[in-house]
Amino acid sequence: MLSKQIAAAARGKVVLNARSIHGGTAVAMSRGWKAASANIRRAQFHSTNLLQAETVKVPQMAESITEGTLKSWSKQVGDSVAADEEVATIETDKIDVSVNAPTAGTIKELLANEEDTVTVGQDLFVIEPGEVSESSPPPKEDSKEDKPQQEQPKEEKPKEEEPKPKEDKPSEKPAPPPPSEKPPKKDDPTPKPPAPAAGTRNETRVKMNRMRLRIAERLKESQNAAASLTTFNEIDMSSLMEMRKRYKDAVLKEHDVKLGFMSAFAKACSLTLKEIPAANAYIEGDEIVYHDYVDLSVAVATPKGLVTPVVRNAESMNFIEIEKEIAVLGKKARDSKLTLEDMAGGTFTISNGGVFGSLYGTPIINLPQAAVLGMHAIKDKPVVVDGQIVIRPIMVVALTYDHRLLDGREAVTFLVRVKEYLEDPRKMLLA
């Protein structure tokens, strides 16, 4: 009977009095109930907060990448995040990796600072799961409270301006003594400081990002390892420009892609690489590895550095397919969405410096490849055609090749074949 009364009292249904139980028993019972309720509260606290908090670690980025630089936090402590929403960005020497929230909730703790080096598996931040909408209204109330505080000083300003009407200005006007006092100052033999030099002499130091450091290492490695040599040739772009002008509108309307020059160069190089397989090979130890396919690396300039996404099996694509693939890869590069799979491999590289106005250049080989083709700007030049001097649009192309794999005869032949294909694109249909 006593236990039933105690349970009822805990639920608020029955009020115990001194008549129902003895006084000593009531005191002991009340103390026991307080201790039990305190333990219940502690158990509820641990079950609702500590057990739900989740520590998110640095994810796996790639087999060859074990660390990166924490570039920025997209969220701060107390911010609400949705499931799969970006919380942080980690910069590696190849790509940028986004760290997303595994579930919706609130950020409770950030375990690393920006510009810190973080490793795979390291604790990154703590998130407490919950609904996103719960934490969003509080900041709105704070903003309302701040507004009256900002308006108060505005009301006090006119009070200070009222006593300003001073009529002391007329007294300052009839004051001729100051100019009479200036002459004696000329007698002071005080040297004047030298006039400051024109311009500034400031310097700014900026830490290189991981991608730029990696690019620098690769370029220097290429110069040190390969026996690089560059050969040049000129291409009359009249036929190719005429073909592009005639069909670009139809291609854009039917395939929703712009017809450029890159697809023609990619197709011409793919056909030529079949004829000269050494330009599509690489050295591994004391062996030469030849490829039966063409994975074309296309150089793309991004704010963080030069990247070379790969067009797979370019030899089996037509102009439209190549343009579509290049457009997709170019957009991913500009949006920093390239993955390691997009840039891995590559058997031959095309670099188009002409988009920036370059007339001549010697591109650097993208190791372990054997050669790289450099495109340049198109300029009108006088040339001799059938004994007559005519003006034609000319592009200078450069082929930098590894002399360990290609001899001069093969390199020059490569450029001549590319020139023939581009000056008469119909030949590519017969190859």
PDB file of all heavy atoms in Angstrom, residues 121-144:
ATOM      1  N   GLY A 121      41.612  10.892 -41.179  1.00  0.00           N
ATOM      2  CA  GLY A 121      41.225  10.246 -39.934  1.00  0.00           C
ATOM      3  C   GLY A 121      41.307  11.146 -38.723  1.00  0.00           C
ATOM      4  O   GLY A 121      40.891  10.741 -37.626  1.00  0.00           O
ATOM      5  N   GLN A 122      41.815  12.352 -38.864  1.00  0.00           N
ATOM      6  CA  GLN A 122      41.922  13.278 -37.738  1.00  0.00           C
ATOM      7  C   GLN A 122      40.554  13.858 -37.398  1.00  0.00           C
ATOM      8  O   GLN A 122      39.742  14.133 -38.277  1.00  0.00           O
ATOM      9  CB  GLN A 122      42.904  14.407 -38.080  1.00  0.00           C
ATOM     10  CG  GLN A 122      43.032  15.485 -37.024  1.00  0.00           C
ATOM     11  CD  GLN A 122      44.006  16.574 -37.447  1.00  0.00           C
ATOM     12  OE1 GLN A 122      44.929  16.327 -38.216  1.00  0.00           O
ATOM     13  NE2 GLN A 122      43.801  17.770 -36.933  1.00  0.00           N
ATOM     14  N   ASP A 123      40.285  14.062 -36.079  1.00  0.00           N
ATOM     15  CA  ASP A 123      39.023  14.681 -35.661  1.00  0.00           C
ATOM     16  C   ASP A 123      38.966  16.106 -36.185  1.00  0.00           C
ATOM     17  O   ASP A 123      39.908  16.894 -35.997  1.00  0.00           O
ATOM     18  CB  ASP A 123      38.915  14.686 -34.133  1.00  0.00           C
ATOM     19  CG  ASP A 123      38.778  13.281 -33.564  1.00  0.00           C
ATOM     20  OD1 ASP A 123      38.477  12.365 -34.346  1.00  0.00           O
ATOM     21  OD2 ASP A 123      38.981  13.105 -32.350  1.00  0.00           O
ATOM     22  N   LEU A 124      37.820  16.461 -36.802  1.00  0.00           N
ATOM     23  CA  LEU A 124      37.713  17.768 -37.453  1.00  0.00           C
ATOM     24  C   LEU A 124      36.702  18.675 -36.752  1.00  0.00           C
ATOM     25  O   LEU A 124      37.014  19.820 -36.441  1.00  0.00           O
ATOM     26  CB  LEU A 124      37.335  17.581 -38.918  1.00  0.00           C
ATOM     27  CG  LEU A 124      37.488  18.803 -39.822  1.00  0.00           C
ATOM     28  CD1 LEU A 124      38.937  19.290 -39.814  1.00  0.00           C
ATOM     29  CD2 LEU A 124      37.071  18.488 -41.246  1.00  0.00           C
ATOM     30  N   PHE A 125      35.486  18.192 -36.515  1.00  0.00           N
ATOM     31  CA  PHE A 125      34.497  19.007 -35.806  1.00  0.00           C
ATOM     32  C   PHE A 125      33.464  18.096 -35.153  1.00  0.00           C
ATOM     33  O   PHE A 125      33.379  16.899 -35.458  1.00  0.00           O
ATOM     34  CB  PHE A 125      33.811  20.009 -36.750  1.00  0.00           C
ATOM     35  CG  PHE A 125      32.996  19.385 -37.853  1.00  0.00           C
ATOM     36  CD1 PHE A 125      31.655  19.105 -37.690  1.00  0.00           C
ATOM     37  CD2 PHE A 125      33.585  19.071 -39.074  1.00  0.00           C
ATOM     38  CE1 PHE A 125      30.901  18.534 -38.712  1.00  0.00           C
ATOM     39  CE2 PHE A 125      32.844  18.505 -40.099  1.00  0.00           C
ATOM     40  CZ  PHE A 125      31.500  18.235 -39.912  1.00  0.00           C
ATOM     41  N   VAL A 126      32.701  18.688 -34.226  1.00  0.00           N
ATOM     42  CA  VAL A 126      31.676  17.948 -33.483  1.00  0.00           C
ATOM     43  C   VAL A 126      30.319  18.522 -33.859  1.00  0.00           C
ATOM     44  O   VAL A 126      30.126  19.747 -33.862  1.00  0.00           O
ATOM     45  CB  VAL A 126      31.895  18.067 -31.964  1.00  0.00           C
ATOM     46  CG1 VAL A 126      30.798  17.327 -31.203  1.00  0.00           C
ATOM     47  CG2 VAL A 126      33.267  17.520 -31.581  1.00  0.00           C
ATOM     48  N   ILE A 127      29.393  17.639 -34.171  1.00  0.00           N
ATOM     49  CA  ILE A 127      28.043  18.043 -34.561  1.00  0.00           C
ATOM     50  C   ILE A 127      27.036  17.346 -33.660  1.00  0.00           C
ATOM     51  O   ILE A 127      27.213  16.170 -33.306  1.00  0.00           O
ATOM     52  CB  ILE A 127      27.772  17.715 -36.050  1.00  0.00           C
ATOM     53  CG1 ILE A 127      26.397  18.209 -36.463  1.00  0.00           C
ATOM     54  CG2 ILE A 127      27.919  16.228 -36.324  1.00  0.00           C
ATOM     55  CD1 ILE A 127      26.113  18.070 -37.950  1.00  0.00           C
ATOM     56  N   GLU A 128      26.003  18.066 -33.266  1.00  0.00           N
ATOM     57  CA  GLU A 128      24.911  17.506 -32.473  1.00  0.00           C
ATOM     58  C   GLU A 128      23.683  17.390 -33.361  1.00  0.00           C
ATOM     59  O   GLU A 128      23.152  18.410 -33.821  1.00  0.00           O
ATOM     60  CB  GLU A 128      24.601  18.403 -31.274  1.00  0.00           C
ATOM     61  CG  GLU A 128      23.507  17.841 -30.371  1.00  0.00           C
ATOM     62  CD  GLU A 128      23.240  18.763 -29.201  1.00  0.00           C
ATOM     63  OE1 GLU A 128      23.950  18.642 -28.184  1.00  0.00           O
ATOM     64  OE2 GLU A 128      22.346  19.624 -29.317  1.00  0.00           O
ATOM     65  N   PRO A 129      23.227  16.192 -33.655  1.00  0.00           N
ATOM     66  CA  PRO A 129      22.084  16.020 -34.553  1.00  0.00           C
ATOM     67  C   PRO A 129      20.837  16.705 -34.010  1.00  0.00           C
ATOM     68  O   PRO A 129      20.632  16.814 -32.803  1.00  0.00           O
ATOM     69  CB  PRO A 129      21.900  14.499 -34.621  1.00  0.00           C
ATOM     70  CG  PRO A 129      23.224  13.940 -34.215  1.00  0.00           C
ATOM     71  CD  PRO A 129      23.797  14.899 -33.226  1.00  0.00           C
ATOM     72  N   GLY A 130      20.026  17.179 -34.889  1.00  0.00           N
ATOM     73  CA  GLY A 130      18.776  17.831 -34.520  1.00  0.00           C
ATOM     74  C   GLY A 130      18.175  18.523 -35.717  1.00  0.00           C
ATOM     75  O   GLY A 130      18.735  18.525 -36.816  1.00  0.00           O
ATOM     76  N   GLU A 131      17.012  19.127 -35.506  1.00  0.00           N
ATOM     77  CA  GLU A 131      16.338  19.823 -36.594  1.00  0.00           C
ATOM     78  C   GLU A 131      17.010  21.157 -36.852  1.00  0.00           C
ATOM     79  O   GLU A 131      17.410  21.862 -35.929  1.00  0.00           O
ATOM     80  CB  GLU A 131      14.861  20.053 -36.244  1.00  0.00           C
ATOM     81  CG  GLU A 131      14.073  18.749 -36.084  1.00  0.00           C
ATOM     82  CD  GLU A 131      12.623  19.006 -35.767  1.00  0.00           C
ATOM     83  OE1 GLU A 131      12.250  20.192 -35.713  1.00  0.00           O
ATOM     84  OE2 GLU A 131      11.884  18.039 -35.584  1.00  0.00           O
ATOM     85  N   VAL A 132      17.106  21.517 -38.133  1.00  0.00           N
ATOM     86  CA  VAL A 132      17.781  22.759 -38.507  1.00  0.00           C
ATOM     87  C   VAL A 132      16.951  23.968 -38.141  1.00  0.00           C
ATOM     88  O   VAL A 132      17.479  25.014 -37.780  1.00  0.00           O
ATOM     89  CB  VAL A 132      18.083  22.756 -40.022  1.00  0.00           C
ATOM     90  CG1 VAL A 132      18.745  24.053 -40.439  1.00  0.00           C
ATOM     91  CG2 VAL A 132      18.964  21.567 -40.364  1.00  0.00           C
ATOM     92  N   SER A 133      15.638  23.860 -38.192  1.00  0.00           N
ATOM     93  CA  SER A 133      14.777  25.029 -37.996  1.00  0.00           C
ATOM     94  C   SER A 133      14.792  25.537 -36.566  1.00  0.00           C
ATOM     95  O   SER A 133      14.441  26.678 -36.308  1.00  0.00           O
ATOM     96  CB  SER A 133      13.340  24.680 -38.391  1.00  0.00           C
ATOM     97  OG  SER A 133      12.860  23.595 -37.619  1.00  0.00           O
ATOM     98  N   GLU A 134      15.200  24.714 -35.582  1.00  0.00           N
ATOM     99  CA  GLU A 134      15.144  25.121 -34.189  1.00  0.00           C
ATOM    100  C   GLU A 134      16.140  26.210 -33.867  1.00  0.00           C
ATOM    101  O   GLU A 134      15.882  27.091 -33.073  1.00  0.00           O
ATOM    102  CB  GLU A 134      15.382  23.920 -33.285  1.00  0.00           C
ATOM    103  CG  GLU A 134      14.243  22.908 -33.362  1.00  0.00           C
ATOM    104  CD  GLU A 134      14.518  21.729 -32.453  1.00  0.00           C
ATOM    105  OE1 GLU A 134      15.594  21.734 -31.835  1.00  0.00           O
ATOM    106  OE2 GLU A 134      13.682  20.832 -32.364  1.00  0.00           O
ATOM    107  N   SER A 135      17.321  26.158 -34.483  1.00  0.00           N
ATOM    108  CA  SER A 135      18.369  27.100 -34.131  1.00  0.00           C
ATOM    109  C   SER A 135      18.357  28.363 -34.983  1.00  0.00           C
ATOM    110  O   SER A 135      19.124  29.262 -34.772  1.00  0.00           O
ATOM    111  CB  SER A 135      19.738  26.429 -34.279  1.00  0.00           C
ATOM    112  OG  SER A 135      19.911  25.982 -35.593  1.00  0.00           O
ATOM    113  N   SER A 136      17.489  28.422 -35.994  1.00  0.00           N
ATOM    114  CA  SER A 136      17.482  29.592 -36.871  1.00  0.00           C
ATOM    115  C   SER A 136      16.775  30.815 -36.288  1.00  0.00           C
ATOM    116  O   SER A 136      17.215  31.921 -36.507  1.00  0.00           O
ATOM    117  CB  SER A 136      16.867  29.225 -38.224  1.00  0.00           C
ATOM    118  OG  SER A 136      15.588  28.685 -38.035  1.00  0.00           O
ATOM    119  N   PRO A 137      15.636  30.697 -35.520  1.00  0.00           N
ATOM    120  CA  PRO A 137      14.976  31.897 -35.049  1.00  0.00           C
ATOM    121  C   PRO A 137      15.732  32.752 -34.060  1.00  0.00           C
ATOM    122  O   PRO A 137      15.592  33.948 -34.064  1.00  0.00           O
ATOM    123  CB  PRO A 137      13.668  31.362 -34.439  1.00  0.00           C
ATOM    124  CG  PRO A 137      13.858  29.913 -34.264  1.00  0.00           C
ATOM    125  CD  PRO A 137      14.857  29.491 -35.269  1.00  0.00           C
ATOM    126  N   PRO A 138      16.563  32.181 -33.105  1.00  0.00           N
ATOM    127  CA  PRO A 138      17.210  33.031 -32.114  1.00  0.00           C
ATOM    128  C   PRO A 138      17.978  34.201 -32.678  1.00  0.00           C
ATOM    129  O   PRO A 138      17.880  35.285 -32.157  1.00  0.00           O
ATOM    130  CB  PRO A 138      18.126  32.052 -31.359  1.00  0.00           C
ATOM    131  CG  PRO A 138      17.482  30.728 -31.539  1.00  0.00           C
ATOM    132  CD  PRO A 138      16.817  30.776 -32.857  1.00  0.00           C
ATOM    133  N   PRO A 139      18.786  34.048 -33.737  1.00  0.00           N
ATOM    134  CA  PRO A 139      19.524  35.212 -34.220  1.00  0.00           C
ATOM    135  C   PRO A 139      18.641  36.356 -34.680  1.00  0.00           C
ATOM    136  O   PRO A 139      19.047  37.488 -34.655  1.00  0.00           O
ATOM    137  CB  PRO A 139      20.352  34.658 -35.385  1.00  0.00           C
ATOM    138  CG  PRO A 139      19.780  33.334 -35.702  1.00  0.00           C
ATOM    139  CD  PRO A 139      19.146  32.852 -34.461  1.00  0.00           C
ATOM    140  N   LYS A 140      17.394  36.075 -35.097  1.00  0.00           N
ATOM    141  CA  LYS A 140      16.515  37.146 -35.523  1.00  0.00           C
ATOM    142  C   LYS A 140      16.147  38.045 -34.348  1.00  0.00           C
ATOM    143  O   LYS A 140      16.037  39.250 -34.468  1.00  0.00           O
ATOM    144  CB  LYS A 140      15.243  36.570 -36.166  1.00  0.00           C
ATOM    145  CG  LYS A 140      15.510  35.793 -37.440  1.00  0.00           C
ATOM    146  CD  LYS A 140      14.227  35.265 -38.027  1.00  0.00           C
ATOM    147  CE  LYS A 140      14.494  34.468 -39.292  1.00  0.00           C
ATOM    148  NZ  LYS A 140      13.250  33.908 -39.861  1.00  0.00           N
ATOM    149  N   GLU A 141      15.940  37.441 -33.121  1.00  0.00           N
ATOM    150  CA  GLU A 141      15.615  38.235 -31.957  1.00  0.00           C
ATOM    151  C   GLU A 141      16.774  39.128 -31.559  1.00  0.00           C
ATOM    152  O   GLU A 141      16.598  40.249 -31.122  1.00  0.00           O
ATOM    153  CB  GLU A 141      15.238  37.304 -30.806  1.00  0.00           C
ATOM    154  CG  GLU A 141      13.984  36.468 -31.116  1.00  0.00           C
ATOM    155  CD  GLU A 141      13.694  35.511 -29.994  1.00  0.00           C
ATOM    156  OE1 GLU A 141      14.465  35.513 -29.020  1.00  0.00           O
ATOM    157  OE2 GLU A 141      12.690  34.777 -30.073  1.00  0.00           O
ATOM    158  N   ASP A 142      17.991  38.610 -31.690  1.00  0.00           N
ATOM    159  CA  ASP A 142      19.151  39.404 -31.334  1.00  0.00           C
ATOM    160  C   ASP A 142      19.265  40.622 -32.219  1.00  0.00           C
ATOM    161  O   ASP A 142      19.654  41.692 -31.774  1.00  0.00           O
ATOM    162  CB  ASP A 142      20.417  38.550 -31.449  1.00  0.00           C
ATOM    163  CG  ASP A 142      20.376  37.391 -30.459  1.00  0.00           C
ATOM    164  OD1 ASP A 142      19.615  37.493 -29.481  1.00  0.00           O
ATOM    165  OD2 ASP A 142      21.095  36.419 -30.698  1.00  0.00           O
ATOM    166  N   SER A 143      18.956  40.441 -33.504  1.00  0.00           N
ATOM    167  CA  SER A 143      19.070  41.573 -34.418  1.00  0.00           C
ATOM    168  C   SER A 143      18.062  42.657 -34.084  1.00  0.00           C
ATOM    169  O   SER A 143      18.324  43.834 -34.245  1.00  0.00           O
ATOM    170  CB  SER A 143      18.871  41.101 -35.867  1.00  0.00           C
ATOM    171  OG  SER A 143      17.584  40.531 -36.004  1.00  0.00           O
ATOM    172  N   LYS A 144      16.873  42.258 -33.590  1.00  0.00           N
ATOM    173  CA  LYS A 144      15.884  43.249 -33.223  1.00  0.00           C
ATOM    174  C   LYS A 144      16.319  44.021 -31.984  1.00  0.00           C
ATOM    175  O   LYS A 144      16.064  45.208 -31.844  1.00  0.00           O
ATOM    176  CB  LYS A 144      14.541  42.574 -32.966  1.00  0.00           C
ATOM    177  CG  LYS A 144      13.926  41.952 -34.222  1.00  0.00           C
ATOM    178  CD  LYS A 144      12.619  41.277 -33.890  1.00  0.00           C
ATOM    179  CE  LYS A 144      12.004  40.615 -35.128  1.00  0.00           C
ATOM    180  NZ  LYS A 144      10.740  39.916 -34.801  1.00  0.00           N
TER     181      LYS A 144
END
